[in-house]
């Protein structure tokens, strides 16, 4: 994987050019490489050897605290000590001012080694949200301690009765006393309610846990404002702290109600938390103490800052699980003898068996995995590069990057979580019967990856976001911008033998995607347009990945002589994607363009 990562960063994305910008001026390609080396080593030593352990020794509650393997604590400590929690932050608060592209690439090693042993993604996202929307005191007390690794963070959105439907959250926040607005940590409220599916919601890895909680503040009539406009965001620490970030010794009224035992990501605690049930009584009364972040009613807007980061993070996690399965099945296929080649006279049983990698169908499964995993890695790094452009580019380039990122984020989250899961399924298939056993890691990769189609917004939600909002906002500006980027690649590919035909196929696919988008909205009826939003998401994703692969192939073609086998592999994966994957879009786009009503008109009684 490292060779592919280096190629994508250096030759394709040209991250060295970022060192010309003031924010990254102290860095060099060598310092970027050192960060990658360090993270690769930590992942190899502290994460990978314990991936099976954290899968089999699930978190358990002894009635007082959650018990995790010692390896989980060692992994957290190693990651925190590496400085990666604050890698992108300013020097003056202990950060490295590292480009997000390099940070994302470095974190890929951890996701591949053991995706569930650490919850650093949530902690970084939590702290970044506070840096964007918190008060100076909230940044100093909560975010700084998270970046230092002393405290960890969560995001608390879903509830038992309201999974993805956040407008239906029932957690309430009421002002805590007449002086509630005078608290140095922000307006102080008491929260009461339940939050479900909270990753890393309870553990002893850090001395405190900072929960970011969505809740509703009742209006003057005592009733909450209906819909998402009534949602506010609160910091609810597990243990109360003073204005200097010191623990007061008092436990907040946040209690573990139960551990969820999922098919994958078993190394991470997943919890049901009760807020304000009275198990603990801070200040002598029930109710979880929480501090308002931002203004009342703007909780979802603030939380989306964290959710968008998390979506790219989930996409990278799914990608790396696909990559891990690919590498495992490739190694197996190279050493597993079975069967004999077919010649004109059939199979000669007197000949020795050949490694299964010699069989065309096994090559098909390996090529598919390579196309999915390496294509997804390129997509995630491209999105990370857009984040750097958004934050450090010239004003027009920054605006353009932000718009393109809006359109690509649903794809960055959903495409790897679907197709790298398929890669994991193929990895099991390559292993044959052994793939279904725990003697090999591929079944665990599949189980871990299956969660990513639900993490941070289901496939259906991503499809609704893409077709219902992203491609139609601002008169379709985001889709037009993407089309212009694709056109740039098509123009370059048209001059290269062997890639021009791919460019022609992609041009046609882009045209059909645009036509289907218009046809879906032809009646202007959202119910008709969005009934097949998931099919649209799948087609859109495949068009994007075809573009990514063609662009990567251009970089490989230019360097073919430097490493022939490596780059020929990239070109063959591109060829596979255009021959076997891109043609799938017509079935998806067909139901979108015709506004096929089969699913929408299906009735409950008919099932």
């Amino acid at each position: 994987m490292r060779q592919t990562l280096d190629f994508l960063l250096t030759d394709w994305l040209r991250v060295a050019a970022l060192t010309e910008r003031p924010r990254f001026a102290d860095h060099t390609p060598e310092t970027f490489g050192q960060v990658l080396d360090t993270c690769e080593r930590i992942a190899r030593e502290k994460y990978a050897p314990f991936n099976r352990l954290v899968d089999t020794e699930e978190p358990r509650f002894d009635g007082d605290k959650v018990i995790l393997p010692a390896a989980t604590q060692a992994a957290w400590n190693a990651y925190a000590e590496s400085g990666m929690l604050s890698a992108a932050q300013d020097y003056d608060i202990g950060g490295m001012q590292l480009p997000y592209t390099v940070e994302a690439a470095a974190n890929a090693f951890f996701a591949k080694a053991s995706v569930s042993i650490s919850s650093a993604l949530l902690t970084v996202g939590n702290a970044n949200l506070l840096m964007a929307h918190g008060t100076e005191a909230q940044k100093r007390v909560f975010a700084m301690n998270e970046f230092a690794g002393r405290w960890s963070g969560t995001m608390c959105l879903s509830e038992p009765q309201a999974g993805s439907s956040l407008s239906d959250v029932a957690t309430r926040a009421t002002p805590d006393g007449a002086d509630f607005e005078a608290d140095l940590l922000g307006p102080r409220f008491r929260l009461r309610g339940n939050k479900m599916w909270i990753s890393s919601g309870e553990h002893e890895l850090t001395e405190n846990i900072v929960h970011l909680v969505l809740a509703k503040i009742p209006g003057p009539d005592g009733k909450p404002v209906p819909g998402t406009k009534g949602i506010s965001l609160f910091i609810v620490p597990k243990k109360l702290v003073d204005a200097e970030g010191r623990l007061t010794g008092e436990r907040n009224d946040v209690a573990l109600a139960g551990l969820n035992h999922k098919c994958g990501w078993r190394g991470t605690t997943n919890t049901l938390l009760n807020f304000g049930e009275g198990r603990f009584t801070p200040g002598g009364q029930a109710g979880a103490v929480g501090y308002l972040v931002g203004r009342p009613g703007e909780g979802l807007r603030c939380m989306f800052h964290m959710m968008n980061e998390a979506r790219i993070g989930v996409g990278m996690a799914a990608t790396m699980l696909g990559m891990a399965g690919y590498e495992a099945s490739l190694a197996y296929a190279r050493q597993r003898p079975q069967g004999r080649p077919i010649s004109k006279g059939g199979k000669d049983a007197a000949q020795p068996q050949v490694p299964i990698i010699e069989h065309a169908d096994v090559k098909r499964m390996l090529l598919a995995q390579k196309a999915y995993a390496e294509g997804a890695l390129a997509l995630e790094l491209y999105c990370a590069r857009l984040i750097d452009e958004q934050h450090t580019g010239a004003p027009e380039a920054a605006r353009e990057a932000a718009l393109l990122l809006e359109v690509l984020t649903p794809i960055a989250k959903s495409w790897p979580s679907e197709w790298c899961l398929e890669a994991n399924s193929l990895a099991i298939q390559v292993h044959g019967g052994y793939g279904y056993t725990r003697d090999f890691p591929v079944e665990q990769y599949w189980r871990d990856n299956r969660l990513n189609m639900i993490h941070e917004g289901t496939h259906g939600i991503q499809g609704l976001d893409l077709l219902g909002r992203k491609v139609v906002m601002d008169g379709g500006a985001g889709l037009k911008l993407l089309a212009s980027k694709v056109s740039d690649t098509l123009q370059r590919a048209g001059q290269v033998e062997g890639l021009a035909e791919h460019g022609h196929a992609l041009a046609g696919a882009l045209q059909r995607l645009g036509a289907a988008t218009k046809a879906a909205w032809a009646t202007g009826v959202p119910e008709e347009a969005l009934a097949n939003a998931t099919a649209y998401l799948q087609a859109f994703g495949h068009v994007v990945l075809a573009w990514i692969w063609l662009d990567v192939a251009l970089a490989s073609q230019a360097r073919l002589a430097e490493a022939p086998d490596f780059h020929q592999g990239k070109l063959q994966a591109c060829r596979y994607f255009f021959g076997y994957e891109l043609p799938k879009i017509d079935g998806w786009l067909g139901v979108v363009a015709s506004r096929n009503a089969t699913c929408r008109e299906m009735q409950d009684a008919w099932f």
Side-chain angles (χ1 to χ4, degrees):
M1 184 190 89
R2 179 61 187 270
Q3 187 179 6
T4 293
L5 202 59
D6 288 341
F7 160 67
L8 292 174
L9 291 174
T10 304
D11 298 322
W12 184 53
L13 294 175
R14 302 183 185 279
V15 294
L18 289 172
T19 61
E20 298 171 6
R21 299 183 179 182
R23 180 165 184 80
F24 310 126
D26 291 340
H27 286 289
T28 65
E30 288 71 31
T31 62
F32 292 162
Q34 289 164 6
V35 170
L36 296 179
D37 290 343
T38 298
C39 291
E40 187 176 19
R41 176 184 56 77
I42 295 173
R44 182 176 61 249
E45 296 174 357
K46 299 295 185 180
Y47 282 57
F50 309 104
N51 192 43
R52 178 62 79 184
L53 173 71
V54 298
D55 182 63
T56 55
E57 292 189 18
E58 292 186 67
R60 57 187 174 84
F61 184 55
D62 68 358
D64 177 44
K65 60 183 181 293
V66 170
I67 307 298
L68 292 166
T72 305
Q73 183 73 69
W76 172 267
N77 291 345
Y79 189 88
E81 290 166 7
S82 75
M84 285 300 293
L85 287 166
S86 59
Q89 300 303 313
D90 295 347
Y91 292 133
D92 60 10
I93 62 170
M96 303 183 199
Q97 292 189 192
L98 200 66
Y100 182 67
T101 311
V102 179
E103 179 187 0
N107 279 326
F109 292 113
F110 300 106
K112 179 170 173 280
S114 182
V115 75
S116 72
I117 201 171
S118 171
S119 59
L121 168 70
L122 289 170
T123 297
V124 173
N126 180 307
N128 285 346
L129 182 151
L130 294 177
M131 294 300 289
H133 301 288
T135 64
E136 291 304 313
Q138 290 170 347
K139 295 175 188 177
R140 184 183 71 253
V141 171
F142 298 105
M144 292 304 106
N145 278 305
E146 289 182 277
F147 286 137
R150 286 179 57 209
W151 302 351
S152 57
T154 72
M155 53 192 296
C156 301
L157 291 77
S158 298
E159 299 181 0
Q161 83 295 338
S164 300
S165 181
L166 296 179
S167 61
D168 295 310
V169 299
T171 301
R172 299 289 181 266
T174 54
D176 183 28
D179 64 343
F180 78 99
E181 292 183 302
D183 197 295
L184 295 176
L185 293 178
R188 190 180 64 251
F189 287 74
R190 292 278 178 158
L191 277 71
R192 293 171 175 82
N194 316 100
K195 292 293 180 179
M196 186 62 157
W197 313 120
I198 309 307
S199 294
S200 299
E202 179 58 40
H203 55 75
E204 302 297 320
L205 297 173
T206 54
E207 68 178 34
N208 205 358
I209 302 174
V210 181
H211 301 293
L212 285 177
V213 184
L214 292 181
K216 291 186 175 182
I217 303 171
D221 59 357
K223 298 180 181 179
V225 177
T228 58
K229 292 182 179 179
I231 296 176
S232 300
L233 180 64
F234 300 87
I235 299 168
V236 183
K238 172 183 173 180
K239 300 174 182 178
L240 294 181
V241 301
D242 63 21
E244 298 304 317
R246 296 180 295 248
L247 300 181
T248 66
E250 193 169 22
R251 178 71 185 265
N252 205 355
D253 194 6
V254 183
L256 176 68
L259 292 172
N260 298 310
H261 298 282
K262 302 196 284 190
C263 73
W265 285 66
R266 291 176 173 174
T268 300
T269 56
N270 189 271
T271 62
L272 169 61
L273 298 179
N274 290 345
F275 292 82
E277 68 173 0
R279 181 174 176 185
F280 304 98
T281 53
Q285 59 178 302
V289 175
Y291 306 99
L292 181 67
V293 179
R295 296 190 298 185
E298 293 189 353
L300 208 53
R301 182 183 69 84
C302 294
M303 186 61 91
F304 266 111
H305 184 103
M306 183 175 182
M307 289 169 67
N308 284 332
E309 281 187 24
R311 284 171 176 169
I312 294 174
V314 166
M316 182 62 89
T319 296
M320 287 299 101
L321 286 165
M323 188 74 76
Y326 165 57
E327 291 184 357
S329 61
L330 176 61
Y332 182 84
R334 283 172 167 164
Q335 60 84 32
R336 168 66 168 167
Q338 186 164 290
R340 295 165 179 85
I342 300 174
S343 62
K344 289 182 179 180
K347 295 183 180 180
D348 183 356
Q351 294 297 315
Q353 296 191 86
V354 298
I356 61 174
I357 198 170
E358 297 298 323
H359 302 306
D361 196 56
V362 174
K363 292 179 184 179
R364 173 189 63 83
M365 292 187 284
L366 292 171
L367 255 177
Q369 292 179 70
K370 182 179 180 70
Y372 297 152
E374 292 186 4
L377 177 58
L379 170 65
E380 299 305 319
L381 293 176
Y382 182 83
C383 287
R385 181 63 183 81
L386 289 177
I387 291 175
D388 283 326
E389 197 64 30
Q390 181 183 359
H391 292 159
T392 65
E396 183 56 36
R399 283 192 295 270
E400 190 176 87
L403 179 59
L404 192 55
L405 194 61
E406 284 279 331
V407 175
L408 290 180
T409 295
I411 305 303
K413 187 273 170 184
S414 67
W415 200 90
S417 66
E418 178 173 5
W419 296 99
C420 288
L421 178 69
E422 174 62 16
N424 290 142
S425 181
L426 292 171
I428 293 173
Q429 193 73 13
V430 169
H431 279 74
Y434 292 105
Y436 305 107
T437 71
R438 291 199 170 193
D439 297 319
F440 290 85
V442 287
E443 60 85 27
Q444 182 185 343
Y445 296 146
W446 188 94
R447 287 187 290 105
D448 284 342
N449 218 352
R450 186 58 189 84
L451 276 64
N452 287 321
M453 287 182 73
I454 295 174
H455 278 155
E456 307 308 329
T458 65
H459 251 42
I461 288 173
Q462 302 299 329
L464 292 171
D465 181 41
L466 180 66
L467 181 56
R469 192 167 73 88
K470 297 296 177 63
V471 299
V472 295
M473 64 184 186
D474 299 328
L479 186 56
K480 293 173 185 175
L481 176 59
L482 175 62
S484 73
K485 296 294 183 183
V486 175
S487 295
D488 290 344
T489 301
L490 295 178
Q491 186 174 7
R492 288 185 289 123
Q495 313 302 315
V496 180
E497 184 179 355
L499 298 182
E501 62 179 286
H502 297 334
H504 181 73
L506 179 55
L510 183 63
Q511 187 277 328
R512 296 194 296 281
L513 178 67
T517 307
K518 292 179 181 177
W521 284 104
T523 63
V525 180
E527 187 181 14
E528 294 180 6
L530 300 176
N532 297 295
T534 297
Y536 182 83
L537 179 77
Q538 290 171 308
F540 198 104
H542 261 49
V543 171
V544 168
L545 264 293
W547 164 53
I548 292 288
W549 261 119
L550 185 57
D551 211 75
V552 169
L554 284 165
S556 266
Q557 184 69 49
R559 291 160 182 78
L560 187 58
E562 299 172 9
D565 287 343
F566 174 79
H567 290 295
Q568 195 63 56
K570 298 287 183 282
L571 294 171
Q572 196 74 352
C574 176
R575 183 182 176 189
Y576 172 87
F577 199 89
F578 275 85
Y580 288 75
E581 296 295 330
L582 188 58
K584 294 177 180 179
I585 71 167
D586 291 322
W588 294 320
L589 291 179
V591 296
V592 173
S594 66
R595 299 183 298 284
N596 190 298
T598 302
C599 298
R600 180 166 56 88
E601 293 179 349
M602 181 64 182
Q603 296 182 23
D604 186 350
W606 299 349
F607 280 105

